């Protein structure tokens, strides 16, 4: 019937979306350990954001390497994602 999901479809979607789950784990772990570091809510937010930005830079750099990009292009990919991360942090400060 239309609108019903098969187990196969659910599994395929789960596998396709798994990278999103993996990307969420490091910031979630940062939030989990933040009380051990004595961080309050704002410190926890910043720690999770920094971890997410570091992950973004790392995955972009890894993707460029795996795609066979030249060294300069790998650096550009990392730098572009660093700038994007800094923009996100600046917008957070500006909107706060």
């Amino acid at each position: 019937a239309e609108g019903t999901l098969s187990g196969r479809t659910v599994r395929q979607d789960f596998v396709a979306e798994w990278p999103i789950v993996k990307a969420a784990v490091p910031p979630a772990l940062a939030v989990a350990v933040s009380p051990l570091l004595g961080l309050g809510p704002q410190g926890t937010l910043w720690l999770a954001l920094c971890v997410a930005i570091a992950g973004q830079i790392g995955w972009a750099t890894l993707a460029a390497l795996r795609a066979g990009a030249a060294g300069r292009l790998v650096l550009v990919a990392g730098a572009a994602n660093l700038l994007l991360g800094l923009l996100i942090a600046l917008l957070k400060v500006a909107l706060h």
Side-chain angles (χ1 to χ4, degrees):
E2 190 173 319
T4 60
L5 292 174
S6 69
R8 181 178 181 200
T9 301
V10 171
R11 280 189 300 278
Q12 287 173 338
D13 288 347
F14 182 80
V15 169
E17 301 302 330
W18 185 246
I20 295 172
V21 174
K22 288 192 322 188
V25 170
L29 288 175
V31 170
V33 301
S34 66
L36 301 174
L37 301 173
L39 298 177
Q42 286 299 315
T44 299
L45 256 166
W46 280 106
L47 177 62
L49 180 61
C50 288
V51 168
I53 291 169
Q56 174 183 321
I57 295 165
W59 283 115
T61 303
L62 182 62
L65 284 169
R66 286 184 177 171
R72 181 172 281 159
L73 190 54
V74 172
L75 289 175
V76 168
N81 279 275
L82 173 60
L83 290 174
L84 180 59
L86 291 175
L87 177 62
I88 291 168
L90 287 173
L91 287 172
K92 180 191 174 329
V93 169
L95 294 174
H96 185 25

